[in-house]
Amino acid sequence: MNKLLLEVNDLGVVYRGRGRRKDKVALDGVSVAIGAGETLGLVGESGSGKSTLGGCVLGLVRPEHGSITFDGRDITRLAARDRRTLSTQIQAVFQDPYSSFNPHRTIEQTVSETLTNLPRMSRQDRRTRVVAMLERVGLDGSALERFPAQFSGGQRQRIAIARALLPEPRLVVCDESVSALDLSVQAQVLNLLLELQADSGVTYLFITHDLSVVRHMSTRVAVLEHGHLVEEGGAREVTDHPTHPYTRKLIAASPGSDAEVQEARRETRRAMARLEAGGTDADVHALHALEIQAVIEALAEPLSGATGGFARVLNEFTHEPVALDKLVRLRAAILDLAPRTSAAMTSEVVNRRVADARERLCRSLAENDRALHFAAQCREILVAIDSRQRERAVSVVASFDDTRVAEHRATTGRP
Ligand SMILES: Nc1ncnc2c1ncn2[C@@H]1O[C@H](COP(=O)(O)OP(=O)(O)O)[C@@H](O)[C@H]1O
Ligand SMILES: [Mg+2]
């Protein structure tokens, strides 16, 4: 980790109930830290306390106990004047900038609000700086005289980012900053945030309920559940190998960026649910769904860390002649890829049944006459994946079904 910029230590927040409402413990003993120029992704379900933590850092929520240190200085309970001075160094981008924009103020007035706590500058200097910032986020000078309502959601979020970054803050708290945007716009705004970070070295506390976003953005990830920190670590570690069941549940529920991947995951979840309910060939169907999901995900993101096991085997195949034991490993790798997402949410019993079924299939494959046919199919998948022919690869996986159901019946003796 770089030199620490923000340290949150043993933070506790209680919202006091009024009248008959009970007190609500929103954060309990939470400690996280962010290195300068890095991004900490803070994730958890709605109500887990993410915004409360962001609010404490921004001085909007008063903690019951614990401390917040910014650049070596204790900022837990600052007087209002010191807070205002600090606001040029700690800024925020919220989910819906529309509600934090005054509809009657022009974009120039709105964006330059964050300069008010800096030494006075001439009107012309200020305008030059605002225009440069607007251009940096992809808008031009013609925006200055217009009003928030004249912009789309994505543009308004760009304006909010311009406003936050204008005073050159060291830390920006992004609280669900892209959650209200369409997926394609979301990706553009996320990339903008990454570019701005690369340019300026700004640090982000990146709050989101969406784990698929966090992996893309973060150096480290912290997971909150009901006000408790349940997991914290490198972004890849946590998203690829979550140790806490709650994190696995979040990953299973997180939408992919690809409609086909999502549909494959939904189908897998349905198949896994059938498996959980029992039924004869349910595990074969679940495996089938997992294979399709794995192939689609491998095609969506062929050589990334998430598909590391698969990619490794794939590489071996594309460089060497195909041997049966490698095909068996390929199948295991395909099956290995999918459970990390969809099956993560299911019970251990179901996962064990999938693992057993997989082992049986691999074993029967090694002894089976149909191995040659399967070898040809695997080669077809490899070629399709290599040339990014998604439909072809998926259709080959789909054609596994008949032979596999037969294999399965032969090995289990089930009708
Ligand atoms: N001002 C408040 N008064 C009382 N309870 C609150 C207040 N703000 C949040 N809460 C409660 O504290 C918990 C954490 O809320 P929040 O930090 O907004 O969660 P998140 O951002 O993860 O959705 C929730 O149960 C929420 O209902
Ligand atoms: Mg929130």
Side-chain angles (χ1 to χ4, degrees), residues 13-17 21-22 24-27 43-54 61 175-176 207 209 224 227:
V13 172
V14 181
Y15 291 109
R16 295 285 164 210
R21 293 178 84 194
K22 284 202 202 122
K24 167 84 201 174
V25 178
L27 290 177
V43 297
E45 282 172 310
S46 170
S48 55
K50 306 180 297 295
S51 295
T52 299
L53 199 153
V61 176
D175 191 346
E176 305 281 6
I207 297 174
H209 68 281
L224 280 183

Side-chain angles (χ1 to χ4, degrees), residues 6 34 38-44 50-51 53-54 93 161 171-179 186 189-194 197 203-223:
L6 185 78
I34 320 179
E38 298 183 347
T39 298
L40 177 73
L42 186 63
V43 297
K50 306 180 297 295
S51 295
L53 199 153
V93 178
I161 291 168
L171 175 70
V172 178
V173 177
C174 301
D175 191 346
E176 305 281 6
S177 303
V178 300
S179 303
Q186 222 178 59
V189 173
L190 291 174
N191 287 335
L192 172 66
L193 285 168
L194 288 175
Q197 184 174 49
T203 304
Y204 294 134
L205 173 59
F206 193 88
I207 297 174
T208 176
H209 68 281
D210 185 346
L211 254 159
S212 62
V213 165
V214 112
R215 178 192 169 89
H216 185 57
M217 296 300 291
S218 314
T219 330
R220 298 182 70 74
V221 171
V223 184

Side-chain angles (χ1 to χ4, degrees), residues 3-5 7 69-74:
K3 182 173 180 295
L4 287 186
L5 183 68
E7 269 182 277
T69 312
F70 177 74
D71 199 20
R73 173 180 173 208
D74 187 340

Side-chain angles (χ1 to χ4, degrees), residues 69-350:
T69 312
F70 177 74
D71 199 20
R73 173 180 173 208
D74 187 340
I75 61 160
T76 322
R77 290 171 193 82
L78 288 183
R81 229 185 78 220
D82 295 331
R83 235 319 137 182
R84 274 197 301 278
T85 318
L86 191 66
S87 75
T88 58
Q89 294 194 53
I90 305 181
Q91 279 289 327
V93 178
F94 293 105
Q95 172 166 358
D96 177 17
Y98 204 43
S99 58
S100 59
F101 286 171
N102 180 334
H104 306 297
R105 286 169 71 84
T106 64
I107 299 307
E108 178 171 17
Q109 290 168 328
T110 304
V111 171
S112 56
E113 267 164 18
T114 48
L115 291 180
T116 43
N117 292 308
L118 285 174
R120 285 193 69 82
M121 57 178 87
S122 75
R123 219 190 132 141
Q124 194 49 48
D125 286 351
R126 201 172 61 185
R127 173 166 282 194
T128 311
R129 231 171 120 171
V130 171
V131 170
M133 195 65 227
L134 283 173
E135 280 173 358
R136 186 64 195 85
V137 301
L139 295 160
D140 60 44
S142 71
L144 289 177
E145 306 298 327
R146 293 160 74 192
F147 292 91
Q150 295 172 272
F151 294 89
S152 70
Q155 286 171 327
R156 279 203 293 268
Q157 212 52 311
R158 287 171 189 275
I159 294 166
I161 291 168
R163 174 170 68 170
L165 285 165
L166 190 62
E168 298 177 352
R170 317 249 331 258
L171 175 70
V172 178
V173 177
C174 301
D175 191 346
E176 305 281 6
S177 303
V178 300
S179 303
L181 304 176
D182 291 341
L183 281 181
S184 59
V185 181
Q186 222 178 59
Q188 290 163 11
V189 173
L190 291 174
N191 287 335
L192 172 66
L193 285 168
L194 288 175
E195 282 168 23
L196 291 165
Q197 184 174 49
D199 290 354
S200 65
V202 67
T203 304
Y204 294 134
L205 173 59
F206 193 88
I207 297 174
T208 176
H209 68 281
D210 185 346
L211 254 159
S212 62
V213 165
V214 112
R215 178 192 169 89
H216 185 57
M217 296 300 291
S218 314
T219 330
R220 298 182 70 74
V221 171
V223 184
L224 280 183
E225 180 186 23
H226 300 312
H228 294 269
L229 185 74
V230 295
E231 185 154 0
E232 206 255 333
R236 295 220 143 192
E237 260 157 67
V238 172
T239 52
D240 280 354
H241 308 287
T243 56
H244 197 279
Y246 178 76
T247 315
R248 282 192 230 132
K249 199 176 110 197
L250 280 181
I251 290 175
S254 93
S257 55
D258 189 304
E260 234 176 317
V261 171
Q262 283 181 50
E263 179 48 40
R265 285 184 187 171
R266 273 195 293 275
E267 176 50 39
T268 306
R269 279 202 284 273
R270 283 193 289 269
M272 300 304 265
R274 285 197 295 273
L275 183 56
E276 195 138 29
T280 37
D281 282 326
D283 53 348
V284 175
H285 287 124
L287 279 167
H288 180 55
L290 282 171
E291 277 187 353
I292 294 184
Q293 184 196 339
V295 169
I296 289 177
E297 289 188 14
L299 286 167
E301 212 184 337
L303 294 172
S304 81
T307 57
F310 185 71
R312 211 169 346 99
V313 182
L314 192 63
N315 276 337
E316 284 181 32
F317 274 98
T318 44
H319 294 122
E320 286 169 42
V322 179
L324 187 62
D325 64 319
K326 287 191 182 167
L327 292 174
V328 173
R329 263 191 297 141
L330 171 68
R331 159 161 286 185
I334 291 179
L335 292 172
D336 224 29
L337 170 64
R340 252 182 266 154
T341 51
S342 287
M345 66 184 287
T346 60
S347 69
E348 257 179 52
V349 179
V350 171

